[in-house]
């Protein structure tokens, strides 16, 4: 059994916690007020808005050493919804990986909405979680949690693909914010 610590108790944190439990694994939910509680999971999900990441890393960076850290953020300019806030040749995930050199960092869950994780479907298709990272074992461990809950896990390539996943997540968010798609919908990946 794998223990997954989720830093963040919003919609995405709750949806991912449900996914972890459904897969038969243990979950630890840690909110912003739980800084006195240590991280116990082998996998740690950063289920916080991108602007909160630097504070989380400052508070818990040492606790994350040796663990798999999953970045689910989309570095969207939420004031204008017209751009990502990281340079064009970078990603939020690359910044996190640079700040946590003793972790195995993955990008995942940022191209799905909480509702599609909870329901397990998008447009009649099984929800697919795209995973990018440089560590094959880390991707395999996260994939086992995802598939154990009945969802599909798809290896999207190296950590360099995080930028494209963030752009894809940004597109989906702006479409939902513009009421062109539903927050309970999204994109499906056909097998």
């Amino acid at each position: 059994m794998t223990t997954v610590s989720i830093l963040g108790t919003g919609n995405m944190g709750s949806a991912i916690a449900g996914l972890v439990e459904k897969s038969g694994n243990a979950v630890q939910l840690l909110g912003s007020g739980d800084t006195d509680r240590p991280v116990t999971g082998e996998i740690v999900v950063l289920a916080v808005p991108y602007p909160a990441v630097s504070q989380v890393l400052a508070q818990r960076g040492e606790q994350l050493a040796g663990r798999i850290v999953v970045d689910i953020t989309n570095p969207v300019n939420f004031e204008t919804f017209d751009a990502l806030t990281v340079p064009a040749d970078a990603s939020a995930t690359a910044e996190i990986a640079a700040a946590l050199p003793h972790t195995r960092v993955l990008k995942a869950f940022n191209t799905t909405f909480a509702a599609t994780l909870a329901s397990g479907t998008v447009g009649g298709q099984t929800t697919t979680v795209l995973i990018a990272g440089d560590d094959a074992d880390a991707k395999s461990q996260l994939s086992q949690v995802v598939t154990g809950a009945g969802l599909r896990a798809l290896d999207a390539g190296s950590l360099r693909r995080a930028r494209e996943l963030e752009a894809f997540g940004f597109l989906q968010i702006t479409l939902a914010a513009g009421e062109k798609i539903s927050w309970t919908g999204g994109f499906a990946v056909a097998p």
Side-chain angles (χ1 to χ4, degrees), residues 93-121:
T93 312
E95 291 175 355
I96 292 166
L100 299 173
H102 303 293
T103 62
R104 297 177 288 161
V105 177
L106 302 175
K107 180 68 156 197
F109 299 110
N110 74 302
T111 61
T112 57
F113 291 139
T116 63
L117 288 174
S119 71
T121 62

Side-chain angles (χ1 to χ4, degrees), residues 32-191:
S32 59
D34 294 324
T35 56
D36 58 327
R37 292 177 52 207
V39 171
T40 60
E42 299 93 61
I43 299 173
V44 181
V45 179
L46 301 178
V48 298
Y50 175 69
V53 168
S54 59
Q55 180 180 0
V56 169
L57 297 185
Q59 291 172 338
R60 297 202 182 262
E62 290 180 14
Q63 294 178 33
L64 302 179
R67 302 178 195 277
I68 298 168
V69 174
V70 182
D71 171 33
I72 76 164
T73 67
N74 285 302
V76 176
N77 181 332
F78 288 105
E79 291 178 16
T80 63
F81 278 96
D82 69 350
L84 293 173
T85 60
V86 294
D89 61 346
S91 69
T93 312
E95 291 175 355
I96 292 166
L100 299 173
H102 303 293
T103 62
R104 297 177 288 161
V105 177
L106 302 175
K107 180 68 156 197
F109 299 110
N110 74 302
T111 61
T112 57
F113 291 139
T116 63
L117 288 174
S119 71
T121 62
V122 178
Q125 297 286 327
T126 300
T127 299
T128 299
V129 176
L130 301 171
I131 303 170
D134 293 336
D135 187 289
D137 182 59
K139 287 195 277 189
S140 176
Q141 287 182 53
L142 182 59
S143 293
Q144 289 173 16
V145 172
V146 170
T147 59
L151 278 62
R152 288 184 61 223
L154 184 61
D155 186 337
S158 72
L159 199 62
R160 291 178 34 186
R161 296 291 70 83
R163 175 65 187 183
E164 288 80 16
L165 293 181
E166 290 172 7
F168 188 66
F170 168 58
L171 174 62
Q172 185 168 263
I173 289 168
T174 58
L175 289 172
E179 299 181 353
K180 294 181 179 15
I181 65 170
S182 166
W183 289 100
T184 59
F187 298 106
V189 178

